[in-house]
Amino acid sequence: MKLIWHKQELPLEGWWNLTRRYVAAKFRKQTYGVTDSAAVWGMVESGKNIAIVDCRLANTYSQFGHIPGAVNYPITLFEDDCPNIPDEKQLVVVCYFGFVCQLAARKLVEQDHRDVLILKGGMDAWNAEDRPLEIG
């Protein structure tokens, strides 16, 4: 059987695996919550017991700024366990636009972290609302 799309023959094996993974990801139970920048800023101001995990690359984290009090764990570290991330705190995972942090949040939940949120829109949404940044 040949699979044809726009007069091009698609590779049956690779295409099927990609489609299967995409569909499985869409139907996978979401195990983390989603929050916005106003809620995260409210948590930071109130002194709530949270840990902000910034999963952008280290040079982007330091050069372009980060949420006050955020800890940098680049997404590449999530291949292994991240032992320095506290278990007892609520975690807020942040990235560039809110896509990469979904992978990090899923990995944290797999590592038995109970209360994980992602920042909807990432640092792009944070900067669009002129929230404070720490640089360095």
Side-chain angles (χ1 to χ4, degrees):
M1 178 181 150
K2 288 184 179 178
L3 189 59
I4 308 292
W5 185 67
H6 288 281
K7 298 181 182 178
Q8 294 178 1
E9 187 176 339
L10 296 175
L12 205 54
E13 242 179 73
W15 179 85
W16 177 247
N17 284 335
L18 280 173
T19 305
R20 188 171 44 87
R21 276 190 252 145
Y22 175 77
V23 170
K26 286 295 178 188
F27 289 103
R28 186 180 298 138
K29 183 180 176 187
Q30 186 173 337
T31 53
Y32 52 84
V34 179
T35 188
D36 61 354
S37 64
V40 173
W41 180 240
M43 289 185 240
V44 169
E45 279 190 318
S46 69
K48 188 174 179 185
N49 192 19
I50 63 169
I52 300 172
V53 178
D54 194 322
C55 59
R56 297 177 296 160
L57 298 176
N59 60 347
T60 308
Y61 170 84
S62 60
Q63 185 178 1
F64 296 108
H66 51 273
I67 298 173
V71 179
N72 184 232
Y73 285 100
I75 191 66
T76 54
L77 293 179
F78 284 89
E79 294 297 320
D80 304 320
D81 287 343
C82 297
N84 295 332
I85 298 177
D87 287 335
E88 67 279 351
K89 293 184 177 184
Q90 180 178 28
L91 299 178
V92 178
V93 186
V94 180
C95 67
Y96 301 96
F97 301 108
F99 299 116
V100 174
C101 62
Q102 294 176 24
L103 299 171
R106 196 172 294 141
K107 188 71 174 176
L108 287 168
V109 169
E110 288 172 8
Q111 294 174 7
D112 295 328
H113 289 277
R114 288 182 230 118
D115 199 3
V116 180
L117 298 171
I118 63 169
L119 177 60
K120 182 180 179 182
M123 287 303 293
D124 190 46
W126 185 269
N127 291 331
E129 295 185 14
D130 266 348
R131 306 268 181 221
L133 294 172
E134 283 183 355
I135 296 179

